[in-house]
Amino acid sequence: ELKVEQNPLFLSMQEGKNYTIYCNYSTTSDRLYWYRQDPGKSLESLFVLLSNGAVKQEGRLMASLDTKARLSTLHITAAVHDLSATYFCAVGEINNNDMRFGAGTRLTVKP
Amino acid sequence: KAGVTQTPRYLIKTRGQQVTLSCSPISGHRSVSWYQQTPGQGLQFLFEYFSETQRNKGNFPGRFSGRQFSNSRSEMNVSTLELGDSALYLCASSEGSGEKLFFGSGTQLSVL
């Protein structure tokens, strides 16, 4: 059975600092997704990673994928308060919306 | 472009009742998927509909069902509600299967 593990589950960081969230998955998969969820809100898609070595960046967030290690990382650069949210990774396949989500990483950025 | 619209936003039901949730996808999106989110189990896939056909189904009992109409709007139904069905039900649409999902705001269902 496909398992998706994120760590850490809780992350409190100071503004201006860098940090990385890790997402490990247990079986081969076609694609890796990152989503953001603000408290009481729905999920917003951040990145879709399709191949080994894929790297995508948007503002202070950069996601990468290593399919051989079955690992994706979400790197946060110079965190700001607005990045406070829960970040989910999810693993999926082509032609299939049965995405397996990790438990989420609740990020709090403090001034 | 309007986003994914889910109605109602909140629902309170009692055990044994049934409930129908509605989802209107982004215009042009043919795939609609449903997810259940709970604090204990996290996000779990319920089912996906594409062009009025159920394409994939998650590991949920038969009490959970859905359908999609010709205009891509979708409904999900839960019969004989149980306390454990209390959750946020999220609908998501995409251009195709395996593509980036656009989520609605969800329906918060409370079963008393």
Side-chain angles (χ1 to χ4, degrees), chain A residues 31 33 35 37 40-48 50 88 93-103, chain B residues 9 31-33 35 37 43 45 48 55-58 88 90 94 96-101 103-106:
Chain A
R31 46 195 63 188
Y33 308 81
Y35 291 89
Q37 186 175 37
K41 305 284 187 180
S42 190
L43 280 81
E44 173 192 355
S45 176
L46 295 173
F47 304 108
V48 182
L50 303 179
F88 292 92
E93 297 176 2
I94 296 171
N95 296 325
N96 191 334
N97 278 355
D98 180 3
M99 297 180 191
R100 302 300 172 91
F101 281 78
Chain B
R9 184 72 179 90
S31 174
V32 175
S33 302
Y35 283 82
Q37 186 175 27
L43 281 148
F45 172 77
E48 177 195 359
R55 176 168 281 189
N56 296 292
K57 189 177 192 307
L88 178 66
L90 292 164
S94 57
S97 294
E99 303 296 326
K100 178 169 67 173
L101 295 179
F103 283 86
S105 299

Side-chain angles (χ1 to χ4, degrees), chain A:
Chain A
E1 183 188 338
L2 175 59
K3 292 186 178 179
V4 182
E5 293 185 350
Q6 282 183 243
N7 69 84
L9 297 182
F10 299 93
L11 176 56
S12 179
M13 54 192 298
Q14 296 286 330
E15 277 192 332
K17 297 292 187 183
N18 304 333
Y19 209 84
T20 300
I21 299 171
Y22 297 88
C23 175
N24 290 90
Y25 52 99
S26 59
T27 63
T28 304
S29 184
D30 294 325
R31 46 195 63 188
L32 192 294
Y33 308 81
W34 284 97
Y35 291 89
R36 166 182 172 148
Q37 186 175 37
D38 291 295
K41 305 284 187 180
S42 190
L43 280 81
E44 173 192 355
S45 176
L46 295 173
F47 304 108
V48 182
L49 302 170
L50 303 179
S51 59
N52 187 43
V55 177
K56 291 197 173 180
Q57 183 164 5
E58 180 76 31
R60 301 175 187 274
L61 301 177
M62 183 174 71
S64 66
L65 178 62
D66 181 344
T67 57
K68 293 179 181 178
R70 297 176 186 160
L71 170 68
S72 179
T73 60
L74 181 66
H75 186 73
I76 302 155
T77 302
V80 293
H81 179 70
D82 285 352
L83 289 179
S84 297
T86 298
Y87 293 85
F88 292 92
C89 67
V91 174
E93 297 176 2
I94 296 171
N95 296 325
N96 191 334
N97 278 355
D98 180 3
M99 297 180 191
R100 302 300 172 91
F101 281 78
T105 296
R106 186 179 296 180
L107 171 65
T108 303
V109 181
K110 299 181 178 179

Side-chain angles (χ1 to χ4, degrees), chain B residues 23-56:
Chain B
C23 172
S24 294
I26 291 173
S27 178
H29 285 190
R30 296 166 64 188
S31 174
V32 175
S33 302
W34 289 87
Y35 283 82
Q36 182 197 65
Q37 186 175 27
T38 60
Q41 299 298 318
L43 281 148
Q44 293 184 285
F45 172 77
L46 281 157
F47 28 65
E48 177 195 359
Y49 286 87
F50 187 90
S51 295
E52 303 180 64
T53 301
Q54 187 178 86
R55 176 168 281 189
N56 296 292

